[in-house]
Amino acid sequence: MSAVWLSISVATCATLLALPPALAVATLLEHGRGRWRGALYVLVLLPLVLPPVVTGWLLLLTFSPNGWLGASLAGLGLPVAFHWLGAVLAAAVVGFPLLVMLLSSALRSIDPRLRAVAASLGASRWQVFRRVTLPLAWPGILSGASLCFARALGEFGATIVVAGHVPGETSTLPLQIMAAMERPGAEAEVSALAAASLLLGVVCVVAHRMLLGRHRARLELPA
Amino acid sequence: MKLSVQVDRSFGGGFRLALAFDVDCSVLALVGESGAGKSCLLDLLAGALPSRRGGGARGGAHGEARVLLDGVDLSPLPLRARRVGWVSQEPALFPHLDVAANLQFSPHAGGLREVTDALDISHLLQRMPAHLSGGERRRVALARALVSRPRLLLLDEPFNGLDERRRRGALSLLRRVSLRFAVPTVLVSHVAEEVFGLADHALRLSAGRLVAQGRPAAVLRAGETCVDNHLVGRVRGPDEVEVDGIRWQLPLPEGAEGELALAVFAHDLLLARQAPVGLSARNIWPTRVLSVEPLGDTLLVRVERPELVLTLTRAAVDELQLAPGVDVFVVLKATSVVSLGRA
C-alpha cells in the first residue's frame, strides 16, 4: 500500500512542480515572437524522444551531490539524487513535454480576438492572462495535468537512474513491481500492484472526464 | 472629433495601406469593397497592429502609422492604453463570463445601468453568451464597449449577418445610442443605409488607398444608394399612426399602441407637383422640398414635415423642376412603411 501512496504523492508533486513552468513555456511558444521559439520547442520535446534512462542520466549529472546544481541544493538541505525529490523531479521532467504540448494546444484554441478585446477594454497583460486566458485554457490545463499525472505514475526509467530503488522513499509502483518480479514467489504481490496501477489509471481518466464535464457545463458548451 | 491619420504600411501578401486624412466629424464611415483595407485601418486605429516598423509584427507588417485624436497622439499607446471601444465583426464576448461580467470587464467600467437600459439588455445580465441570439450578442458587445467609457468607438460592420428586420432595428438603436452617448465613432460598413443613417463624413478606400472623401452622399456610389428613413410615429387608431402631425395608414400588428419606430425606404416614396387623384396609395400629403443633392447617378431629395429623403432619377427631378422651396405632394403606399416595434 505504501507504494501506491508514494506513487500518488510523487505524481501529484511532479504535476504541481511541472505545471507553472509548463504554462510559462507554452505561453512563450504560443504568444512569443522570434526564431528562438523553434529551439525552445526542440528543447522541451527532448525528454519525450530521449530514452528515459538517458534523461535520468542527464538529471543525475546535474543533480548528483557533485553535480553543478545538486551541490547547491544539497547545501540548502534539498538532496535530489536517490531521494524522494529525485523521483518527483524525474517524473516532472518526463511529463513536462506532454504538459507543454496540451497547454500550447489549449492556448492556441483561444480566439486571439478575445485577448485583443480584453486589452482594448483597458485590461493589463496580467489581467488578460488571469481573467481570459487562464479560465479559457482550463480544460487544456486539466487535460495536461491529468496526462502528466498518469505519465508520472508510470515513470520508471529516469526514476531508477536518478532516485534508485530506496524502499519507502523512491520505490514507486513501477519500481516496486519490477522488484517483486525479480523476487521468486512474489507473483501475488505483482498482481496486486498491477491491479492497483490499473485502478489508479482508470480513476485518473474518470476524474479527468468529470472535471472537464463540469467545466464545459459552466461554460455551457456542447460536450 | 478631430482625427488625423497618416499611414504607410505593408502587410503580408503584398497588401499596402497607404493613406492620410484629417477629418472633423462625429461619426466617420469607412466604405469600399472587400479587401480595400477598411478593417485593417480600424485595427490600426484600435492599436491592434503595432504603429511602428518592427520585426515579427503581426502579418509581417512593416512601415509607419500615426494617429492623432483631438490633438492626442495615440500612435505610441498600446491597445490597452488607447481607451477605444472596439466592436469587431464578430461580437467576441468572453464565453466563460455572463453578460454582467462581460459588461463590467473593463477597469474603467461605468454607467452600466444607463447603457443596459439604452440597449435594452437589462434582462440578459445573468445569461451566458452561448445563450444569446446574434442580435443580443452584438448589443452586449456594443454595451461592453460603451461601458468602458471610450474616447473613440470603432465599429466593424456592426450589423453584419443580421436579417433585414433586425438590421433596421439595430440601426435605429445605434442612432439613438450615438445621439445619447455622443462618443466619436468610426464605422466600417458595406451598407449605404448604415452610412447615411449614422455618419456625417465618409472615406472611400480602394486597394489600401483613399480614393474619395466627403459627405456620405458624395462618397457613396450608384448601387449603394439604398437609403432608409427612420421615424417615430404615435398610434392613433387601428392601422393609423401620426408622424410629425401627418396621419399615415399602414398595417399595424394587433394591439399596437404608444410610439412605434418606423422605417421607409427612400426609393419607395413618390413625389407629385399636383395633388394626385385615383391612386391606390393610402398616404398622400402636401409638403415642400428642402434640398436636392447628387447621390451617385441619382439625386437625393429631402422634404420637410415629416423630414424624409427619397431617391429620384435626374430625369424625374428635371421634369418636375424640383428645387429647394418647391411645393410637392408625397405619395406613400401603406405597405411601404415597416413597423420596427416600440420606439
Side-chain angles (χ1 to χ4, degrees):
Chain A
M1 227 18 226
S2 67
V4 175
W5 290 120
L6 185 65
S7 285
I8 290 173
S9 71
V10 164
T12 306
C13 291
T15 306
L16 293 176
L17 182 69
L19 202 49
L23 196 53
V25 168
T27 306
L28 282 174
L29 286 174
E30 288 306 312
H31 301 162
R33 291 171 182 159
R35 290 180 186 147
W36 51 265
R37 285 190 305 166
L40 181 62
Y41 195 66
V42 169
L43 196 68
V44 165
L45 285 193
L46 271 183
L48 197 66
V49 293
L50 281 178
V53 174
V54 174
T55 306
W57 176 71
L58 290 170
L59 285 174
L60 193 61
L61 282 182
T62 313
F63 290 97
S64 74
N66 302 323
W68 63 275
L69 208 53
S72 316
L73 286 172
L76 293 170
L78 290 170
V80 174
F82 306 107
H83 281 83
W84 176 82
L85 201 54
V88 170
L89 191 67
V93 168
V94 172
F96 191 74
L98 295 172
L99 202 45
V100 171
M101 275 172 17
L102 281 159
L103 292 181
S104 291
S105 155
L107 292 176
R108 208 175 308 132
S109 69
I110 298 173
D111 184 348
R113 287 172 313 156
L114 293 177
R115 290 199 315 276
V117 166
S120 80
L121 290 168
S124 65
R125 279 187 185 181
W126 167 244
Q127 285 170 326
V128 173
F129 180 75
R130 188 174 59 81
R131 297 176 64 191
V132 178
T133 309
L134 207 53
L136 291 175
W138 194 241
I141 294 173
L142 282 180
S143 294
S146 52
L147 202 61
C148 182
F149 180 82
R151 177 69 186 84
L153 280 178
E155 167 46 32
F156 178 82
T159 310
I160 193 130
V161 176
V162 182
H165 183 208
V166 184
E169 177 139 351
T170 65
S171 55
T172 55
L173 269 172
L175 271 70
Q176 193 77 10
I177 292 171
M178 192 65 198
M181 283 170 70
E182 286 172 346
R183 213 167 47 240
E187 287 80 9
E189 191 185 344
V190 172
S191 304
L193 289 169
S197 293
L198 195 68
L199 190 66
L200 270 178
V202 171
V203 167
C204 205
V205 173
V206 171
H208 164 237
R209 291 284 302 166
M210 280 172 63
L211 285 169
L212 218 57
R214 270 178 53 185
H215 181 77
R216 286 191 182 283
R218 199 166 65 80
L219 281 188
E220 304 188 13
L221 297 173
Chain B
M1 65 168 164
K2 286 187 177 168
L3 181 65
S4 172
V5 172
Q6 287 179 309
V7 50
D8 188 351
R9 292 276 301 266
S10 298
F11 297 84
F15 179 73
R16 181 174 169 211
L17 185 68
L19 48 86
F21 61 86
D22 291 279
V23 294
D24 187 354
C25 60
S26 308
V27 178
L28 173 68
L30 305 177
V31 302
E33 74 275 20
S34 292
K38 307 185 296 291
S39 295
C40 196
L41 178 56
L42 211 64
D43 287 353
L44 243 158
L45 293 177
L49 298 175
S51 299
R52 291 195 171 77
R53 184 192 303 271
R58 200 172 97 181
H62 292 283
E64 300 287 330
R66 189 170 158 81
V67 179
L68 280 168
L69 176 67
D70 294 325
V72 178
D73 188 1
L74 300 185
S75 318
L77 301 178
L79 187 56
R80 68 174 177 281
R82 288 207 177 185
R83 300 293 301 274
V84 293
W86 187 31
V87 184
S88 52
Q89 285 183 31
E90 292 302 316
L93 299 179
F94 305 120
H96 58 299
L97 301 176
D98 64 15
V99 169
N102 261 282
L103 295 178
Q104 288 168 324
F105 188 89
S106 170
H108 314 295
L112 186 70
R113 182 75 185 272
E114 191 187 3
V115 173
T116 54
D117 284 351
L119 287 165
D120 193 22
I121 53 168
S122 304
H123 61 293
L124 303 174
L125 293 179
Q126 307 309 318
R127 294 242 201 112
M128 296 300 280
H131 285 187
L132 299 177
S133 70
E136 288 169 341
R137 274 205 282 275
R138 280 183 170 78
R139 296 212 305 271
V140 173
L142 177 61
R144 183 176 61 181
L146 285 170
V147 164
S148 73
R149 292 186 286 188
R151 54 178 146 201
L152 180 64
L153 193 58
L154 303 172
L155 305 177
D156 196 353
E157 301 195 34
F159 310 115
N160 198 18
L162 293 185
D163 63 41
E164 185 62 21
R165 184 183 159 77
R166 286 180 198 282
R167 200 170 56 76
R168 288 183 182 194
L171 178 58
S172 161
L173 182 78
L174 198 52
R175 186 183 295 163
R176 287 204 300 274
V177 165
S178 173
L179 290 174
R180 181 157 170 187
F181 297 98
V183 184
T185 302
V186 180
L187 163 81
V188 168
S189 179
H190 281 294
V191 183
E193 182 189 337
E194 294 167 14
V195 176
F196 266 104
L198 293 166
D200 52 350
H201 197 86
L203 306 177
R204 172 174 289 283
L205 271 57
S206 179
R209 305 295 166 108
L210 181 63
V211 291
Q213 67 166 313
R215 289 164 48 80
V219 171
L220 288 166
R221 288 179 182 159
E224 295 178 331
T225 52
C226 152
V227 186
D228 253 5
N229 290 288
H230 286 265
L231 307 116
V232 173
R234 177 165 285 281
V235 178
R236 290 296 184 202
D239 293 343
E240 191 171 79
V241 295
E242 185 179 318
V243 181
D244 205 5
I246 306 292
R247 294 207 173 200
W248 285 355
Q249 286 182 25
L250 69 155
L252 286 178
E254 193 132 337
E257 56 176 13
E259 292 196 324
L260 292 180
L262 305 169
V264 183
F265 273 126
H267 57 68
D268 275 352
L269 289 157
L270 302 177
L271 287 187
R273 289 298 298 268
Q274 281 97 37
V277 288
L279 284 183
S280 62
R282 296 290 83 201
N283 306 299
I284 299 169
W285 71 95
T287 185
R288 186 172 294 151
V289 174
L290 284 174
S291 65
V292 180
E293 54 187 314
L295 173 61
D297 294 341
T298 60
L299 289 167
L300 191 74
V301 180
R302 197 177 296 273
V303 298
E304 64 178 18
R305 202 168 164 263
E307 192 173 318
L308 291 167
V309 289
L310 45 126
T311 46
L312 298 177
T313 61
R314 192 172 290 276
V317 169
D318 289 345
E319 193 176 319
L320 296 183
Q321 295 179 316
L322 296 178
V326 168
D327 291 323
V328 288
F329 287 84
V330 181
V331 180
L332 171 64
K333 285 168 67 176
T335 51
S336 293
V337 186
V338 180
S339 168
L340 302 173
R342 293 181 75 90

